[in-house]
Amino acid sequence: MSTARKHALTNTVYKQAFTDAFRKFDPRVMIKNPVMFIVEVGFVITLLLTIVPGIFGAEADPFYNGIVCFILFVTIWFANFAEALAEGRGKAQADSLKKTKQDTTARLLQKDGFIREVPSTELRKGDIVVIEANQLIPSDGEVIEGIASVDESAITGESAPVIKESGGDFSSVTGGTRVVSDRIVVRISADPGESFLDRMIQLVEGAKRQKTPNEIALNTLLVSLTLIFLIVCVTLQPIAAYVHVAIPIATLIALLVCLIPTTIGGLLSAIGIAGMDRVTRFNVIAMSGKAVEAAGDINTIILDKTGTITYGNRMASQFIPVGGAKQAECTRAAALSSIHDETPEGRSIIELAKKMGVAHAELMGTGSEGIEFQAQTRMSGTIFADGSEIRKGAVDAIKQFAITHGGTIPADLDAQTEQIAKEGGTPLAILAGTHILGLIYLKDTVKAGMKERFDELRRMGIRTVMCTGDNPLTAATIAREAGVDDFVAEAKPEDKIALIRSEQSQGKLVAMTGDGTNDAPALAQADVGLAMNSGTIAAKEAANMVDLDSDPTKIIEVVAIGKQLLMTRGALTTFSIANDVAKYFAIIPAMFMLAIPQMQALNIMGLSSPQSAILSALIFNAIIIPLLIPLAMKGVKYVPMSASKLLSRNLLLFGAGGIVVPFVGIKAIDLLMHAVGLA
């Protein structure tokens, strides 16, 4: 996305949030946030006191009441703006997705074999449609016949088409994507309004967002604190009357607003929405906020080997001469055997040979022909213009070919072959004519940076387990190279479920990734199941997160985002409560200083007057909300560390900081008010 377009989008979101913040003053909306609803009630009361000073039968200063009323209004608007801004980002993404969702004409295959064109809105689950090149896929479904390239850029942002075919783990298709080539027959899997794209839109714009368990628990705590301080402020009036102190109603309301946790109350919803928004901008769709929250508490991650920890393609890592052959001779023969091999393994052999000094000119293959790999022969190679041949293939197949054509078997061939197998690799023998020159060591290479990423997870206190269908020797080798904590070899689908249940029985939360129908039970059992968008419908329906980029390693980033969400909420709650402690020293002495001179000792800030102290605290209480909006939206920077260190860091940074900042801020506002003559 261009910079100009980003700015235009940001400006639109800000403008919409500005307007929506006023709409949220509706009491029916505000009552969903009890803390801010109390502030709105206080705003209405001070507004009445401003318009009709003696309405409650007490003397009141309309100017003072008006200032308090205005500050309360601004406080509510700032809180509403924070929530509207978080929602606005999601709605902007939803609008972009809605442009992708368009009514199309579907070619419905009828029972009599004829094709009838119908609007996509008429399609129902179980219908079968035919889609050809350059046609949009009308709804979610599963390929039951054919193979085609599909452009999913409208959903994933990835420009490269993906192959979809029947009968595998890459058979599901998404409505709104386009078939680039060939023809496929698709069975529709969703009724109108229930497609993956529909659910994405609802989730992204917040239409289906439900509060998470932690959010509900924190909200309950905030409501409890609000009720406690409400009772305190109500009982202050008779206590003040007993000591002959007249406390204006506006002052009591200001005290209540400053004491209740308005900062976190105003930002709580925005934090939750922004957390899901961060996951969405990472091209992961979370089916609920609970899934994002659970990701932050994960103890164990179960990962597949192939395509997750490793590239999934065997790559040449070494050429091993046998039978007295020279290293250069072995390397050259391996390269020449792969001139016409366009597989990833063949290309990796060429690349490794070049690194080891084989000249590019020798690999041109002029006048040569390729020997195609066949399942019967299990060999491939090159026939040169002079009739000579160089082959590579399975060791037993090459041995049989050599013996059949009068060759001999090197004495050290079997030992070297066994050593490669023990290390988890795949050996290919190299044959020049009838002479076996050496072995190509193919290995499923661990992705770059995986060891460092697993080290980072370890610092988070998360255990990593690799599941693979490979034999124990291969599994152990890959596990050691990747740096995972444990592995399960020769794993079947039921083994994954058993492992998840075993971890959960110990009170741990488990995350896993998967893309196949056989992964669906385990994805459903896991606390966080991340399904690949390229996978089957069963996998996506079982999981509570879907990765649009189909990158299995993204589970690591999802965990970091979940932890960041929990940290942000905890940090701002700590800061908010610490703020309230500091405000006590501004307002409580101010209310009683005139009647009880000894209270002056508590005026440690040296504020100018009781009225100035109250207004300064109230103004600070209002402006701290917009100052914290960027932090609520972006999130607290996550640094991997133990829970105890994290707690100490938060208490020092946001706890101590939450006490110091109000002292500085309130004093600065008091000095400013004194300078302009309002104190």
Side-chain angles (χ1 to χ4, degrees), residues 589-653:
M591 293 175 64
F592 294 97
M593 269 193 300
L594 295 177
I596 309 174
Q598 291 85 349
M599 293 288 285
Q600 179 67 35
L602 293 177
N603 184 22
I604 57 178
M605 296 187 201
L607 302 176
S608 305
S609 67
Q611 195 175 60
S612 171
I614 292 165
L615 292 179
S616 296
L618 200 58
I619 291 170
F620 175 84
N621 190 68
I623 64 175
I624 197 65
I625 294 176
L627 292 177
L628 291 175
I629 287 177
L631 186 61
M633 300 292 284
K634 187 178 179 181
V636 174
K637 184 179 179 182
Y638 176 67
V639 180
M641 61 179 70
S642 65
S644 58
K645 286 185 178 179
L646 189 60
L647 178 62
S648 301
R649 177 176 176 269
N650 276 355
L651 288 176
L652 180 64
L653 186 60

Side-chain angles (χ1 to χ4, degrees), residues 102-285:
Q102 50 184 292
D103 291 333
T104 58
T105 300
R107 303 174 70 223
L108 179 65
L109 184 63
Q110 301 180 101
K111 292 182 179 179
D112 58 9
F114 287 97
I115 293 175
R116 181 167 62 93
E117 292 192 351
V118 299
S120 60
T121 52
E122 292 184 13
L123 293 176
R124 295 293 182 271
K125 192 173 183 178
D127 286 345
I128 296 176
V129 296
V130 179
I131 309 144
E132 296 186 349
N134 298 318
Q135 292 181 349
L136 284 173
I137 296 173
S139 184
D140 291 2
E142 194 151 12
V143 179
I144 58 173
E145 182 184 318
I147 180 171
S149 295
V150 178
D151 177 6
E152 295 187 330
S153 58
I155 303 294
T156 66
E158 176 57 55
S159 57
V162 294
I163 301 298
K164 298 290 184 177
E165 59 183 323
S166 60
D169 288 345
F170 301 96
S171 60
S172 73
V173 290
T174 306
T177 58
R178 184 181 296 276
V179 172
V180 178
S181 67
D182 301 297
R183 173 185 182 274
I184 50 175
V185 179
V186 173
R187 181 185 289 114
I188 300 301
S189 62
D191 290 327
E194 298 178 359
S195 70
F196 181 63
L197 194 55
D198 288 317
R199 282 184 291 157
M200 279 176 63
I201 292 168
Q202 292 169 348
L203 289 163
V204 168
E205 69 182 358
K208 295 290 184 181
R209 179 182 180 269
Q210 295 180 336
K211 290 185 176 180
T212 64
N214 280 351
E215 198 172 347
I216 292 170
L218 182 54
N219 204 50
T220 302
L221 172 64
L222 299 183
V223 170
S224 301
L225 289 174
T226 300
L227 288 173
I228 291 170
F229 287 122
L230 182 61
I231 293 169
V232 169
C233 290
V234 168
T235 56
L236 268 180
Q237 186 66 28
I239 293 172
Y242 180 76
V243 294
H244 308 292
V245 175
I247 303 178
I249 294 175
T251 299
L252 281 174
I253 292 172
L255 173 65
L256 175 62
V257 170
C258 285
L259 295 185
I260 63 177
T262 50
T263 305
I264 188 62
L267 295 172
L268 183 60
S269 182
I271 294 168
I273 295 170
M276 287 193 70
D277 176 60
R278 279 195 294 277
V279 174
T280 304
R281 282 188 281 123
F282 212 71
N283 250 12
V284 173
I285 297 299

Side-chain angles (χ1 to χ4, degrees), residues 652-668:
L652 180 64
L653 186 60
F654 295 99
I659 292 176
V660 172
V661 170
F663 276 91
V664 176
I666 291 171
K667 179 61 179 178

Side-chain angles (χ1 to χ4, degrees), residues 455-476:
D455 286 342
E456 183 178 335
L457 286 171
R458 203 168 290 111
R459 288 195 296 273
M460 295 181 193
I462 296 172
R463 178 170 171 260
T464 52
V465 181
M466 180 187 78
C467 278
T468 176
D470 287 338
N471 63 68
L473 279 175
T474 302

Side-chain angles (χ1 to χ4, degrees), residues 10-83:
T10 303
N11 291 336
T12 302
V13 170
Y14 274 100
K15 288 176 183 176
Q16 188 62 45
F18 184 89
T19 307
D20 288 346
F22 288 103
R23 294 197 184 103
K24 288 179 177 289
F25 272 81
D26 185 338
R28 292 169 297 182
V29 176
M30 292 296 299
I31 201 166
K32 295 176 183 177
N33 186 342
V35 176
M36 298 314 298
F37 180 71
I38 292 292
V39 181
E40 186 172 49
V41 171
F43 159 69
V44 172
I45 293 173
T46 53
L47 180 63
L48 291 173
L49 286 169
T50 304
I51 299 171
V52 188
I55 188 172
F56 296 114
E59 290 187 17
D61 178 359
F63 180 71
Y64 173 68
N65 291 339
I67 294 176
V68 172
C69 175
F70 176 75
I71 297 171
L72 294 181
F73 173 83
V74 171
T75 303
I76 301 166
W77 186 87
F78 280 149
N80 289 347
F81 179 76
E83 184 175 31

Side-chain angles (χ1 to χ4, degrees), residues 84-104:
L85 188 60
E87 291 174 345
R89 286 186 174 185
K91 287 176 180 175
Q93 288 182 325
D95 289 341
S96 176
L97 290 171
K98 285 175 182 175
K99 291 177 183 177
T100 300
K101 187 177 183 297
Q102 50 184 292
D103 291 333
T104 58

